[in-house]
Amino acid sequence: MPAPDLVTAELTLTGRIMTASNATFLGSIGDVAVVYKPIAGESPLWDFPHGTLARREVAAYLVSQVFGWDIVPHTWLRNGPMGEGMVQLWQEQEPAQSAVNLVATDHVPETGWKHVLEGRDENGRMVALVHEDSPALRRMAVFDIVVNNADRKGDHILAMTDGHRHGVDHGLTFHRDHKLRTVLWGWLGDALTAEERDGIERVSEGLHGELGRNLADLLSTDEIALLAARCARLRLAGRFPAPSGEMPAVPWPLF
């Protein structure tokens, strides 16, 4: 039996993710499990134009596709029970794995992990925020710099059984102002790899072709121009940047 048309076949709601700040539903299109975020359920924000988050999520997927690293699961716009919204293929993550964690400051792993920051937990104990030192997370950090991700929380990184890492929740991206807030600061100052530089080059070139044409339906002209500028700056610097500006360097909450 052929797969249902993911754009026109009926989208049936099966549940709601209550921890999300915007209306977020679990659903199915035939036998395909999806996440559905209707534009009508987006909460107003002071710094992002209202009603644009779903399109930013789709734009993030298109940029991810050009990077070629399979960071963002397949994401598209379509109508659903609450009107037009973003739909994304559901990803079943491995509950025993975690790419980002809080550990006691005297138990930070010596290898395989990057130390980001320290603080006190709700019980006053000193803890450290750490994340994996892996190629998959490095690529996600590069992606976040390029799309100007203002909300890379630990729970927005899905650890898959095969070791792959997906990134989700990209509504707060592509702002004209510097907005980078992320838990993935472990490579600050490190030189980019050849693979990472090649990915940035693919996005830069794509903005002059099909990627640019597709993004024109989702982002403003200024936002696309500044996306190109971020690619150019990162290619010229050749290394992971440090936090800058007045914005907090990490999102809150961290997870």
Side-chain angles (χ1 to χ4, degrees):
M1 183 175 180
D5 187 318
L6 296 178
V7 176
T8 61
E10 182 180 6
L11 195 169
T12 303
L13 301 186
T14 58
R16 182 168 183 178
I17 301 176
M18 299 303 297
T19 55
S21 56
N22 297 294
T24 304
F25 299 91
L26 300 177
S28 62
I29 305 172
D31 294 330
V32 179
V34 298
V35 176
Y36 166 57
K37 298 182 183 180
I39 294 173
E42 294 180 6
S43 300
L45 299 170
W46 68 269
D47 55 346
F48 280 81
H50 184 54
T52 67
L53 304 191
R55 287 173 171 77
R56 295 174 191 277
E57 294 233 35
V58 176
Y61 166 71
L62 295 178
V63 172
S64 170
Q65 286 294 98
V66 175
F67 265 118
W69 300 333
D70 191 26
I71 293 172
V72 183
H74 186 192
T75 309
W76 65 100
L77 288 174
R78 60 157 288 167
N79 284 320
M82 296 179 64
E84 186 180 39
M86 178 226 81
V87 177
Q88 185 175 84
L89 293 183
W90 171 259
Q91 304 297 316
E92 194 66 47
Q93 60 181 326
E94 171 53 63
Q97 296 187 33
S98 180
V100 182
N101 208 349
L102 286 173
V103 298
T105 53
D106 56 353
H107 284 78
V108 175
E110 294 185 3
T111 60
W113 292 80
K114 289 288 189 178
H115 178 280
V116 178
L117 56 82
E118 294 182 359
R120 294 187 182 274
D121 67 10
E122 65 274 13
N123 296 313
R125 296 172 297 195
M126 290 299 298
V127 294
L129 176 68
V130 298
H131 63 68
E132 291 177 342
D133 183 12
S134 67
L137 277 200
R138 276 184 64 111
R139 292 190 291 265
M140 190 178 298
V142 171
F143 167 81
D144 285 342
I145 296 165
V146 167
V147 303
N148 199 17
N149 192 352
D151 198 32
R152 176 61 73 202
K153 294 182 171 71
D155 286 346
H156 294 174
I157 301 168
L158 306 184
M160 311 308 291
T161 303
D162 60 1
H164 186 68
R165 302 309 184 227
H166 280 302
V168 297
D169 287 299
H170 296 111
L172 302 187
T173 48
F174 301 105
H175 200 285
R176 291 175 296 178
D177 299 330
H178 175 75
K179 292 282 185 179
L180 184 61
R181 292 192 294 262
T182 175
V183 295
L184 301 180
W185 285 112
W187 301 283
L188 190 155
D190 285 7
L192 298 172
T193 66
E195 179 189 15
E196 291 158 356
R197 293 195 302 271
D198 289 346
I200 299 166
E201 179 66 27
R202 286 193 293 274
V203 173
S204 294
E205 293 178 354
L207 290 173
H208 299 289
E210 183 178 4
L211 176 61
R213 292 190 294 272
N214 290 334
L215 291 179
D217 295 329
L218 303 166
L219 304 173
S220 72
T221 301
D222 285 347
E223 288 167 341
I224 296 172
L226 288 162
L227 167 60
R230 287 191 296 273
C231 288
R233 283 198 303 271
L234 190 55
R235 288 167 57 203
L236 181 63
R239 60 187 62 252
F240 286 87
S244 62
E246 298 181 357
M247 296 296 297
V250 295
W252 189 259
L254 296 172
F255 291 87

